[in-house]
Amino acid sequence: MKLSDPLDSEPQDAQIFDDLISNLRQTFFNYIKSGQESTDLTLDYLSPSQISDLVSLNPTDAGSGQNGIIFLISQLLYRPPKLLVEISFCNNFYLLIGIVQDVINILKYSPNTWNPGFMHKLYSSTSAIGVIGELVTAIMNSNGHIYLASPFASTVEILLSKKLGVLFGYDESKCGGLTCPGGSYSNNLALLVARNYYFPYAPLYGFALTDSEKILFDFKQPVIFTSNQSHYSIEKSVMMLGLGKRNIVFVKSGVSGVMDSADLEFKVSAAISEGKKPFFVNATAGTTVLGQFDPIKPISEICQKYDMWLHVDASLGGSLVFSKSQNYKEKLDGSGSANSITFNPHKLLGVPLQCSYLLVRDGLSGVRKQVSTNANYLYHKDDEIPSPQCTAESNSNKNYFGNNAECWDIGDATIGCGRKPDSLKMWLSWRYFGYDGFATRVDNSLKSASTFSKLINSLPDFYLFRTPTSNIVCFYYVPPSQKNHCFSGSQSLNGTSSRIDSLPIVHDESRLDFPEIWGTFTKSICKDINSRGKVLIDFASINLSKSSGELVRIPEFFRIPFNSPFFSISHLHVIIDQISSSALSLYP
Amino acid sequence: MKLSDPLDSEPQDAQIFDDLISNLRQTFFNYIKSGQESTDLTLDYLSPSQISDLVSLNPTDAGSGQNGIIFLISQLLYRPPKLLVEISFCNNFYLLIGIVQDVINILKYSPNTWNPGFMHKLYSSTSAIGVIGELVTAIMNSNGHIYLASPFASTVEILLSKKLGVLFGYDESKCGGLTCPGGSYSNNLALLVARNYYFPYAPLYGFALTDSEKILFDFKQPVIFTSNQSHYSIEKSVMMLGLGKRNIVFVKSGVSGVMDSADLEFKVSAAISEGKKPFFVNATAGTTVLGQFDPIKPISEICQKYDMWLHVDASLGGSLVFSKSQNYKEKLDGSGSANSITFNPHKLLGVPLQCSYLLVRDGLSGVRKQVSTNANYLYHKDDEIPSPQCTAESNSNKNYFGNNAECWDIGDATIGCGRKPDSLKMWLSWRYFGYDGFATRVDNSLKSASTFSKLINSLPDFYLFRTPTSNIVCFYYVPPSQKNHCFSGSQSLNGTSSRIDSLPIVHDESRLDFPEIWGTFTKSICKDINSRGKVLIDFASINLSKSSGELVRIPEFFRIPFNSPFFSISHLHVIIDQISSSALSLYP
């Protein structure tokens, strides 16, 4: 007996899901295939008002099947070749076909990240295995906050975090980690843990102390160090945690965009002599715009000397630990001494968004200690639920359980509650690709960036201003008709001076003064290219610091990350053709 | 020409995905069906060390296909009946079959939320449409931070947030919203926006001010008000934002668990007279343990009178706006005057985890203003990318674009960066179920809770201590052999006093003193039931405040949320049978 009129006479989700898969399977196949073969646009751009016509939200025509009927008629009149639907009859036929239509609209008017031409952001498509991982997670509707709600996912998260930690130089028996909903949140959690560790009164008292409390707690203004090339989430986290952005000290990054460790030590000393408490240094492994790596080893020594928390934001560059090339791998040297590391497999490893790890050298218990609020309605003590076996056993995996017994309910070590178990898709990807498969993915992307930068450097009108350190290539394009806009220092744009082995910007800060109009070229060309949708590319401007400390604005340049492992030479030429043909139409 | 040895000779993700779907389709069908028909366990419980044997992380045997070979052999020896795999040959055969095995392990040793017996947490299974929404999002690997990376998802998010706002009483032309990775993050963002609005110096200066700055900014200690029944994320957010937990004032919730608005006003006045600045009141619509609703209207009047931000945490109870029953719907009365509302469709609406909205009365621009750090490498000005059409047009949807033109890059209004576009699955669910379908889902869950509470109340040994306000039923069970453990006030457990219309706890605070041993009964029985895995249920203890202000600990009781829309009378009896049979074995 049913309690009331249910949604259907019986729950039919198994059948509905299977019917939808049956009707969408060909669409998904064509979508992925046409993306990877670059036969379609990367983006068929529509404005919000155009898309709003496709987004019906009228409650009265939803759930009625009416859209399915309209769709069938439109299919009779016009069948989109690449998203053809093999319609099979089923229960709720019109309703399901309406959903199929909606799915086709979503796919059609969103960027196809399977297309290597999607070079707009620091991620590309995922992989077939990544999608399956996400699908399994969704089918289970799994939640990674407590062990009992996700025994498999929690175990994977604990074990995989340790394996990842080892890649960065951590001790497997001590380290730990967890996933956060994106790199910003991982950075944020790292700063919070460090703040509460160094300022143990902060959770209860906050920072608005009375005079007597200031004396009692030996209050010193907390100071955070990061380079001016670091990701904005560091600044945002400082703002969020009530530390005050004035307490961020931006360390000089020099013309190369790499943190100057001598300047760091100088500024730490200065802060101490002003009676402040430097407690947190963020080193970036793979800066957002240039893809540069701060020197972790010397920074780590300074952190030890002055008792500060070292966090390495390796959201982007962390994937280089998988590289087979020592040149790339060693950019992470020293990360094993960092207190915490952010690493996003959703970038170069192609695990579906979101997948970000916060790895911690000294284990998850320390994180939990700093952020738990002991919500006992959810996080029961171990003796109240079927508990993890905490006995030390011979299998090395099993030894972990004793050390971290209190941390199986991972949610308590976060600032959230319910949480998507993002480790499952990472684990399935790890199982499919293996270490070597990840290495190939990463090295293919890096090689593509390197090949593209050489290509750029060999062409007239393109001005590569930096040999790429990782997977991001930054360059200008000056339309031939605008050749009079040279450096303010009036260097020639052609000939040997733009050869890759004599890039001026790395060595010669007097040549940082790019004409502002170069930024205008970049922005106009980018906008034009993106509206065509064949490829999607992006630009950025930055400020670099001269040795005098003076900040120089670098006008907008093309900043193209190579994330896909599937680039061919012809893809690279498409980008170049798009830029030069767009420039020709804009600046004839 | 390929740049290097790619992962395969050509990218084959379309084929791999299709092969995996082909091999997993029957498994998924059986998994959902056996869950919804409750023919299998809700959870086949394994300890972490047992699961670790299934979680191979050895880099050398991953990616090799070796697991597939082992799996095929095991299939010849033993085929699990419910997760039968119809193996079809394909490329990478052994590799893919290894993945199929891993997926089967994940499914087998995680809770099957499709089973209505999964009553452990405030969510149940998703729906077939929800899974399709997640699958499409994963296939696109879409990112909701900037418009160009997700035109369709961004448009849906903007429009759907407005429609949801209207359900809560907001003005469609003004309101806005966005998704966050869970209710805790939504609450956190609301508090951050309010903090920066009321303390505009906080982003730059933080709260550690010098004496002269205190005078300059007219510093007053910030104070936050919430009931002691509210979710722990409020306390955690206060801790996180550097406000200090000492600045939370817990308003009396009384024996009913509902915020006492007179006590709120009294405590606000007291804080003001102490020279502090009350600025934020959190009202809970659907408390975590009891499912109670704070009275929003009187709280809202107090907020207006004293110039404070009203946030309604309707993570759980927000779904009641869909109910066809006025009784339930009116529990949200007054929410239209709240500055912000958290609402989680991943709870009663069955949208896959995570799906949480922060809705804001005055639009998204205000949120952006308070949290943006103007990261121009990512969030370009409108004139630099193909921009949304901002002209006001006749279609009412289109009028939004003019008002919120600056907010199409939604990521800038969050504390994150890249973000999963959780609105797509919500939109597809809306399209499939329609308003009426959501209403039926919600009302079915509420009716199940109500029916169960009546059933409990009619049975000996079960002691319902509250008529459920929403979908959570809270009760004790006293094993017959332990009948001597009555109230300290020595009331009878049998007969008329436990009838639903004369529940003592609501009206009579002298009867709050439950014996501690009742909590022991609850915990032992719960642990035993969960280890059997037929159903998963949970317990909680709380503190309730007497009118004197004294807090009384209520020992652990069964706290069972009804989330699934598919309960039958027989499901309800299974729960009762599990409890009484477990009790009989534990307390013979």
Coordinates of all heavy atoms in Angstrom, one line a residue, chain A residues 227-287:
Chain A
S227 N 53.5 36.2 -3.4 CA 54.0 37.1 -4.5 C 52.9 37.8 -5.2 O 51.7 37.3 -5.1 CB 54.9 36.2 -5.5 OG 54.1 35.9 -6.6
N228 N 53.2 38.8 -5.9 CA 52.1 39.5 -6.6 C 51.7 38.8 -7.8 O 50.7 39.2 -8.5 CB 52.6 41.0 -6.9 CG 53.8 41.0 -7.9 OD1 54.2 39.9 -8.3 ND2 54.3 42.2 -8.1
Q229 N 52.2 37.6 -8.1 CA 51.8 36.8 -9.2 C 50.8 35.7 -8.7 O 50.3 34.8 -9.5 CB 52.9 36.1 -9.9 CG 53.9 37.1 -10.5 CD 53.2 38.0 -11.6 OE1 52.6 37.5 -12.5 NE2 53.4 39.3 -11.4
S230 N 50.6 35.6 -7.4 CA 49.8 34.5 -6.9 C 48.3 34.6 -7.2 O 47.9 35.7 -7.6 CB 50.0 34.4 -5.3 OG 49.5 35.5 -4.7
H231 N 47.6 33.6 -7.0 CA 46.2 33.5 -7.3 C 45.4 34.4 -6.4 O 45.7 34.6 -5.2 CB 45.6 32.1 -7.2 CG 44.3 31.9 -7.8 ND1 43.1 31.8 -6.9 CD2 43.8 31.9 -9.0 CE1 42.1 31.7 -7.7 NE2 42.4 31.8 -9.0
Y232 N 44.3 35.0 -6.9 CA 43.5 36.0 -6.1 C 42.9 35.3 -4.9 O 42.4 36.0 -4.0 CB 42.5 36.7 -7.0 CG 41.3 35.9 -7.4 CD1 40.2 35.8 -6.6 CD2 41.3 35.3 -8.7 CE1 39.1 35.1 -7.0 CE2 40.2 34.6 -9.1 CZ 39.1 34.5 -8.3 OH 38.0 33.8 -8.7
S233 N 42.8 34.0 -4.9 CA 42.2 33.4 -3.7 C 42.9 33.6 -2.4 O 42.4 33.5 -1.3 CB 42.0 31.9 -4.0 OG 43.2 31.2 -4.2
I234 N 44.2 33.8 -2.5 CA 45.0 34.1 -1.3 C 44.5 35.4 -0.7 O 44.2 35.5 0.5 CB 46.5 34.2 -1.6 CG1 47.0 32.9 -2.3 CG2 47.3 34.5 -0.4 CD1 46.9 31.7 -1.4
E235 N 44.4 36.4 -1.6 CA 43.9 37.8 -1.1 C 42.5 37.6 -0.6 O 42.2 38.2 0.5 CB 44.0 38.8 -2.2 CG 43.7 40.2 -1.8 CD 43.8 41.2 -3.0 OE1 44.4 40.7 -4.1 OE2 43.4 42.3 -2.9
K236 N 41.7 36.9 -1.3 CA 40.3 36.7 -0.9 C 40.2 36.0 0.4 O 39.3 36.3 1.3 CB 39.5 36.0 -2.0 CG 38.1 36.5 -2.1 CD 37.4 35.9 -3.4 CE 36.8 37.1 -4.2 NZ 35.9 36.7 -5.3
S237 N 41.0 35.0 0.6 CA 41.0 34.3 1.9 C 41.4 35.1 3.0 O 40.8 35.1 4.1 CB 41.9 33.0 1.8 OG 41.4 32.1 0.8
V238 N 42.4 36.0 2.8 CA 42.9 36.9 3.9 C 41.7 37.8 4.3 O 41.4 38.0 5.4 CB 44.1 37.6 3.5 CG1 44.4 38.8 4.4 CG2 45.3 36.7 3.3
M239 N 41.1 38.3 3.2 CA 39.9 39.2 3.4 C 38.8 38.4 4.2 O 38.3 38.9 5.2 CB 39.4 39.7 2.1 CG 38.1 40.5 2.1 SD 36.6 39.6 2.2 CE 36.4 39.1 0.5
M240 N 38.5 37.2 3.8 CA 37.4 36.5 4.3 C 37.7 36.1 5.8 O 36.8 36.2 6.6 CB 37.3 35.2 3.5 CG 36.1 34.4 3.9 SD 36.0 33.0 2.9 CE 34.5 32.3 3.6
L241 N 38.9 35.7 6.1 CA 39.2 35.3 7.5 C 39.4 36.4 8.5 O 39.8 36.1 9.6 CB 40.5 34.4 7.4 CG 40.4 33.1 6.5 CD1 41.6 32.2 6.8 CD2 39.1 32.3 6.8
G242 N 39.1 37.6 8.1 CA 39.1 38.7 9.0 C 40.5 39.2 9.3 O 40.7 39.8 10.3
L243 N 41.5 38.8 8.5 CA 42.9 39.2 8.8 C 43.2 40.5 8.2 O 44.2 41.2 8.7 CB 43.8 38.1 8.2 CG 43.7 36.7 8.8 CD1 44.3 35.7 7.9 CD2 44.4 36.7 10.2
G244 N 42.4 41.0 7.2 CA 42.7 42.3 6.7 C 43.7 42.3 5.6 O 44.8 41.9 5.8
K245 N 43.3 42.8 4.4 CA 44.2 42.7 3.3 C 45.5 43.6 3.5 O 46.5 43.4 2.9 CB 43.5 43.1 2.0 CG 42.4 42.1 1.5 CD 41.9 42.4 0.2 CE 40.9 43.5 0.1 NZ 40.3 43.6 -1.2
R246 N 45.4 44.5 4.4 CA 46.6 45.3 4.6 C 47.7 44.5 5.2 O 48.9 44.9 5.3 CB 46.3 46.5 5.6 CG 45.9 46.1 7.0 CD 45.9 47.2 8.0 NE 45.2 46.9 9.2 CZ 45.1 47.8 10.2 NH1 45.7 48.9 10.1 NH2 44.5 47.4 11.3
N247 N 47.3 43.3 5.8 CA 48.3 42.5 6.4 C 48.9 41.5 5.4 O 49.7 40.6 5.8 CB 47.7 41.8 7.6 CG 47.5 42.8 8.7 OD1 48.3 43.6 9.0 ND2 46.3 42.7 9.3
I248 N 48.6 41.6 4.1 CA 49.3 40.8 3.1 C 50.5 41.6 2.7 O 50.4 42.8 2.4 CB 48.5 40.6 1.9 CG1 47.1 39.9 2.2 CG2 49.2 39.7 0.9 CD1 46.2 39.8 1.0
V249 N 51.7 41.0 2.7 CA 52.8 41.6 2.1 C 53.2 40.9 0.8 O 53.3 39.7 0.8 CB 54.0 41.5 3.1 CG1 55.3 42.0 2.4 CG2 53.7 42.3 4.4
F250 N 53.1 41.7 -0.3 CA 53.4 41.1 -1.6 C 54.9 41.1 -1.8 O 55.6 42.2 -1.8 CB 52.7 41.9 -2.7 CG 51.2 41.6 -2.7 CD1 50.3 42.6 -2.2 CD2 50.7 40.4 -3.1 CE1 49.0 42.4 -2.1 CE2 49.3 40.2 -3.1 CZ 48.5 41.2 -2.6
V251 N 55.4 39.9 -1.9 CA 56.9 39.8 -2.1 C 57.2 40.0 -3.6 O 56.4 39.7 -4.5 CB 57.3 38.4 -1.8 CG1 58.8 38.2 -1.9 CG2 56.9 38.0 -0.3
K252 N 58.3 40.7 -3.9 CA 58.7 41.0 -5.3 C 58.8 39.7 -6.1 O 59.4 38.7 -5.6 CB 60.1 41.7 -5.3 CG 60.0 43.2 -5.1 CD 61.2 43.9 -5.6 CE 62.4 43.7 -4.7 NZ 63.5 44.6 -5.0
S253 N 58.3 39.7 -7.3 CA 58.4 38.6 -8.1 C 59.5 38.8 -9.2 O 59.8 37.8 -9.9 CB 57.1 38.3 -8.8 OG 56.6 39.4 -9.5
G254 N 60.0 40.0 -9.3 CA 61.0 40.2 -10.3 C 60.4 40.1 -11.7 O 59.2 39.9 -11.9
V255 N 61.3 40.3 -12.7 CA 60.8 40.3 -14.1 C 60.4 38.9 -14.6 O 59.6 38.8 -15.5 CB 61.9 40.9 -15.1 CG1 62.0 42.4 -14.9 CG2 63.2 40.2 -14.9
S256 N 60.9 37.9 -13.9 CA 60.6 36.6 -14.3 C 59.2 36.1 -13.7 O 58.7 35.1 -14.1 CB 61.7 35.6 -13.8 OG 61.8 35.7 -12.4
G257 N 58.7 36.8 -12.8 CA 57.4 36.4 -12.2 C 57.6 35.4 -11.1 O 56.6 34.7 -10.7
V258 N 58.8 35.2 -10.6 CA 59.1 34.2 -9.5 C 59.4 34.9 -8.2 O 60.1 35.9 -8.2 CB 60.3 33.4 -10.0 CG1 60.9 32.6 -8.8 CG2 59.9 32.5 -11.1
M259 N 58.9 34.4 -7.1 CA 59.1 35.0 -5.8 C 60.6 35.2 -5.5 O 61.4 34.2 -5.6 CB 58.4 34.3 -4.7 CG 58.5 35.0 -3.4 SD 57.9 34.0 -2.0 CE 56.1 34.1 -2.1
D260 N 61.0 36.3 -5.1 CA 62.4 36.7 -4.7 C 62.6 36.3 -3.3 O 62.1 37.0 -2.4 CB 62.6 38.1 -5.0 CG 64.0 38.6 -4.6 OD1 64.7 37.9 -3.9 OD2 64.4 39.7 -5.1
S261 N 63.3 35.2 -3.0 CA 63.3 34.8 -1.6 C 64.1 35.7 -0.7 O 63.8 35.8 0.5 CB 63.9 33.3 -1.5 OG 65.1 33.3 -2.1
A262 N 65.1 36.4 -1.3 CA 65.8 37.4 -0.5 C 64.8 38.5 -0.1 O 64.9 39.0 1.1 CB 66.9 38.0 -1.3
D263 N 64.0 39.0 -1.0 CA 63.0 40.0 -0.6 C 62.0 39.5 0.4 O 61.6 40.2 1.3 CB 62.2 40.4 -1.9 CG 61.4 41.6 -1.7 OD1 61.9 42.6 -1.2 OD2 60.1 41.6 -1.9
L264 N 61.7 38.2 0.3 CA 60.8 37.6 1.3 C 61.4 37.7 2.7 O 60.8 38.2 3.7 CB 60.5 36.1 1.0 CG 59.8 35.3 2.1 CD1 58.4 35.8 2.3 CD2 59.8 33.8 1.8
E265 N 62.7 37.3 2.8 CA 63.3 37.3 4.1 C 63.5 38.8 4.7 O 63.2 39.0 5.8 CB 64.7 36.6 4.1 CG 65.4 36.7 5.5 CD 66.4 35.6 5.7 OE1 66.9 35.0 4.7 OE2 66.8 35.3 6.8
F266 N 63.8 39.6 3.7 CA 63.9 41.1 4.1 C 62.6 41.6 4.7 O 62.5 42.2 5.7 CB 64.3 41.9 2.9 CG 64.3 43.3 3.1 CD1 65.4 43.9 3.8 CD2 63.3 44.1 2.7 CE1 65.4 45.3 4.0 CE2 63.3 45.5 2.9 CZ 64.4 46.1 3.5
K267 N 61.5 41.2 4.0 CA 60.2 41.7 4.4 C 59.7 41.0 5.7 O 59.0 41.6 6.5 CB 59.2 41.6 3.3 CG 59.4 42.7 2.2 CD 58.5 42.5 1.0 CE 58.7 43.8 0.1 NZ 58.3 43.6 -1.3
V268 N 60.0 39.7 5.9 CA 59.7 39.1 7.1 C 60.4 39.7 8.3 O 59.8 40.0 9.3 CB 60.0 37.6 7.0 CG1 59.9 36.9 8.4 CG2 59.1 36.8 6.0
S269 N 61.7 40.0 8.1 CA 62.4 40.6 9.2 C 61.9 42.0 9.5 O 61.7 42.4 10.7 CB 63.9 40.8 8.8 OG 64.5 39.6 8.5
A270 N 61.5 42.7 8.5 CA 60.9 44.1 8.7 C 59.7 44.0 9.5 O 59.4 44.8 10.4 CB 60.7 44.7 7.3
A271 N 58.8 43.0 9.1 CA 57.5 42.9 9.9 C 57.8 42.5 11.3 O 57.1 43.1 12.2 CB 56.7 41.8 9.2
I272 N 58.7 41.6 11.6 CA 59.0 41.3 13.0 C 59.5 42.5 13.7 O 59.1 42.7 14.9 CB 60.1 40.1 13.0 CG1 59.4 38.8 12.5 CG2 60.6 39.9 14.4 CD1 60.4 37.7 12.2
S273 N 60.4 43.3 13.1 CA 60.9 44.4 13.8 C 59.8 45.5 14.0 O 60.0 46.3 14.9 CB 62.1 45.0 13.1 OG 61.7 45.5 11.8
E274 N 58.8 45.4 13.3 CA 57.6 46.3 13.5 C 56.7 45.7 14.6 O 55.6 46.3 14.8 CB 56.8 46.5 12.2 CG 57.5 47.4 11.2 CD 56.9 47.3 9.8 OE1 55.7 46.9 9.8 OE2 57.5 47.6 8.8
G275 N 57.1 44.6 15.2 CA 56.3 44.0 16.2 C 55.1 43.2 15.7 O 54.2 42.9 16.5
K276 N 55.2 42.8 14.5 CA 54.1 41.9 13.9 C 54.5 40.5 13.9 O 55.6 40.1 14.2 CB 53.8 42.4 12.5 CG 53.3 43.8 12.4 CD 53.1 44.3 11.0 CE 52.6 45.7 10.9 NZ 52.5 46.2 9.5
K277 N 53.6 39.6 13.6 CA 53.8 38.1 13.6 C 53.6 37.6 12.2 O 52.5 37.2 11.8 CB 52.9 37.4 14.6 CG 52.9 35.9 14.5 CD 54.3 35.3 14.8 CE 54.4 33.8 14.5 NZ 55.7 33.3 14.2
P278 N 54.7 37.4 11.4 CA 54.6 36.7 10.2 C 54.3 35.3 10.4 O 55.0 34.7 11.3 CB 56.0 36.9 9.6 CG 56.6 38.0 10.3 CD 56.1 37.9 11.7
F279 N 53.2 34.7 9.8 CA 52.9 33.3 10.2 C 52.6 32.5 8.9 O 52.5 31.3 9.1 CB 51.7 33.3 11.1 CG 50.4 33.5 10.4 CD1 49.5 32.5 10.1 CD2 49.9 34.8 10.1 CE1 48.3 32.7 9.5 CE2 48.7 35.0 9.4 CZ 47.9 34.0 9.2
F280 N 52.5 33.1 7.8 CA 52.0 32.3 6.6 C 52.7 32.8 5.4 O 52.6 34.0 5.0 CB 50.5 32.4 6.5 CG 49.8 31.5 5.4 CD1 49.3 30.3 5.8 CD2 49.6 32.0 4.1 CE1 48.7 29.4 4.9 CE2 49.0 31.1 3.2 CZ 48.5 29.9 3.6
V281 N 53.3 31.8 4.6 CA 53.9 32.2 3.3 C 53.2 31.3 2.3 O 53.2 30.0 2.5 CB 55.4 31.9 3.3 CG1 56.0 32.2 1.9 CG2 56.1 32.8 4.4
N282 N 52.7 31.9 1.3 CA 52.1 31.1 0.1 C 53.1 31.2 -1.0 O 53.5 32.2 -1.5 CB 50.8 31.7 -0.3 CG 50.3 31.1 -1.6 OD1 50.0 29.9 -1.6 ND2 50.4 31.8 -2.7
A283 N 53.6 30.0 -1.4 CA 54.5 29.9 -2.5 C 53.6 29.3 -3.7 O 52.9 28.3 -3.4 CB 55.7 28.9 -2.3
T284 N 53.7 29.8 -4.8 CA 52.9 29.3 -5.9 C 53.7 28.4 -6.9 O 54.8 28.8 -7.3 CB 52.3 30.5 -6.7 OG1 51.7 31.4 -5.8 CG2 51.3 30.0 -7.7
A285 N 53.2 27.2 -7.1 CA 53.8 26.3 -8.1 C 52.9 26.3 -9.3 O 51.9 25.6 -9.4 CB 53.9 24.9 -7.5
G286 N 53.2 27.2 -10.2 CA 52.4 27.3 -11.4 C 51.5 28.6 -11.3 O 50.3 28.5 -10.9
T287 N 52.1 29.7 -11.5 CA 51.2 31.0 -11.3 C 50.2 31.0 -12.4 O 50.3 30.5 -13.5 CB 52.1 32.2 -11.3 OG1 52.8 32.3 -12.6 CG2 53.1 32.2 -10.2

